[in-house]
Amino acid sequence: DAGVIQSPRHEVTEMGQEVTLRCKPISGHDYLFWYRQTMMRGLELLIYFNNNVPIDDSGMPEDRFSAKMPNASFSTLKIQPSEPRDSAVYFCASSLEGTPRGAGELFFGEGSRLTVL
Amino acid sequence: EDQVTQSPEALRLQEGESSSLNCSYTVSGLRGLFWYRQDPGKGPEFLFTLYSAGEEKEKERLKATLTKKESFLHITAPKPEDSATYLCAVQASGTSYGKLTFGQGTILTVHP
């Protein structure tokens, strides 16, 4: 399997513009997570889905952030309008409940580095 | 609120010099503690899951242990390729599957 695939890898945009980050999870996985990583706050969980249904979005910082999972093989994280403080690396991860190695085994993508000027 | 504190923030070792990384946690009840490795420009990569105090897991030069308040990641005779950021995460009892709280990480550098 190719692993979790994220795009774009790098995005530079200006304040006020809309940003859309994309994720393709590992085939067969039933959980999908969006995390944000910054030097100051580390890795923070934004939202996660189970079987395409949003379960917990309490980590989404503001209404400017939204996420969708229209099917089992695709998810988007949208920021509109973007602000400089949104600059971070955004990771998508997927997992399969009941994996023999136990809960917490998340498979992360390589991340999307967002810079908002 | 669940909290995870890792120390030291950074650790420099000579090749072959064994050491330990610490992860202290505060949760209402521990469902699991997890160690990840993150290389620069990459996403975290899963290493271990620990469920209960006294449990140990090993993988090559790494051994993770767990007590009721902390976990240690022991690195025996490290090599330069072990250089990475090591992240600790916890899942609290009563939380949904996969909802993890991460520490800030320890940046390990192993010099040849």
Side-chain angles (χ1 to χ4, degrees):
Chain A
D1 199 311
V4 175
I5 299 172
Q6 292 186 245
S7 65
R9 290 295 314 279
H10 301 276
E11 175 90 7
V12 180
T13 191
E14 293 190 348
M15 183 173 62
Q17 295 299 305
E18 178 179 294
V19 174
T20 299
L21 307 178
R22 299 172 177 81
C23 174
K24 176 178 167 48
I26 292 173
S27 177
H29 280 191
D30 53 0
Y31 279 82
L32 184 139
F33 305 83
W34 282 101
Y35 279 86
R36 178 171 69 176
Q37 187 174 41
T38 61
M39 290 293 292
M40 289 294 295
R41 301 175 67 91
L43 263 173
E44 300 176 282
L45 178 62
L46 300 177
I47 184 172
Y48 71 99
F49 297 82
N50 177 220
N51 292 321
N52 313 338
V53 176
I55 303 300
D56 187 340
D57 65 354
S58 60
M60 297 285 260
E62 299 171 35
D63 291 344
R64 298 184 295 107
F65 286 70
S66 63
K68 294 182 179 179
M69 192 166 186
N71 57 63
S73 59
F74 184 67
S75 177
T76 59
L77 179 67
K78 185 175 293 187
I79 308 172
Q80 167 63 19
S82 58
E83 296 183 3
R85 59 190 167 134
D86 301 331
S87 297
V89 181
Y90 291 81
F91 287 102
C92 176
S94 69
S95 70
L96 177 64
E97 189 169 14
T99 174
R101 294 174 73 182
E105 184 185 7
L106 307 185
F107 293 81
F108 283 81
E110 296 201 327
S112 294
R113 180 175 294 277
L114 173 64
T115 302
V116 183
L117 303 175
Chain B
E1 184 179 332
D2 304 333
Q3 287 193 332
V4 179
T5 303
Q6 293 189 243
S7 62
E9 291 185 7
L11 181 63
R12 294 179 182 272
L13 300 174
Q14 289 296 127
E15 185 172 2
E17 179 186 3
S18 301
S19 189
S20 297
L21 313 181
N22 178 265
C23 171
S24 298
Y25 62 90
T26 303
V27 294
S28 55
L30 184 67
R31 186 171 177 179
L33 184 141
F34 316 96
W35 283 98
Y36 282 78
R37 168 189 170 129
Q38 185 174 22
D39 293 305
K42 304 289 187 181
E45 178 185 352
F46 174 84
L47 291 173
F48 303 111
T49 302
L50 300 166
Y51 291 109
S52 57
E55 190 174 0
E56 298 182 352
K57 293 278 179 70
E58 285 190 68
K59 179 180 180 180
E60 295 180 356
R61 296 175 292 281
L62 301 177
K63 183 169 84 171
T65 61
L66 181 65
T67 71
K68 288 187 177 180
K69 294 183 179 181
E70 57 191 349
S71 177
F72 293 93
L73 185 65
H74 306 278
I75 304 176
T76 302
K79 298 182 178 182
E81 53 261 43
D82 295 321
S83 297
T85 297
Y86 290 85
L87 297 165
C88 173
V90 298
Q91 184 181 14
S93 300
T95 60
S96 299
Y97 173 87
K99 187 172 183 179
L100 308 183
T101 300
F102 280 86
Q104 293 281 67
T106 293
I107 303 170
L108 174 66
T109 305
V110 182
H111 296 284

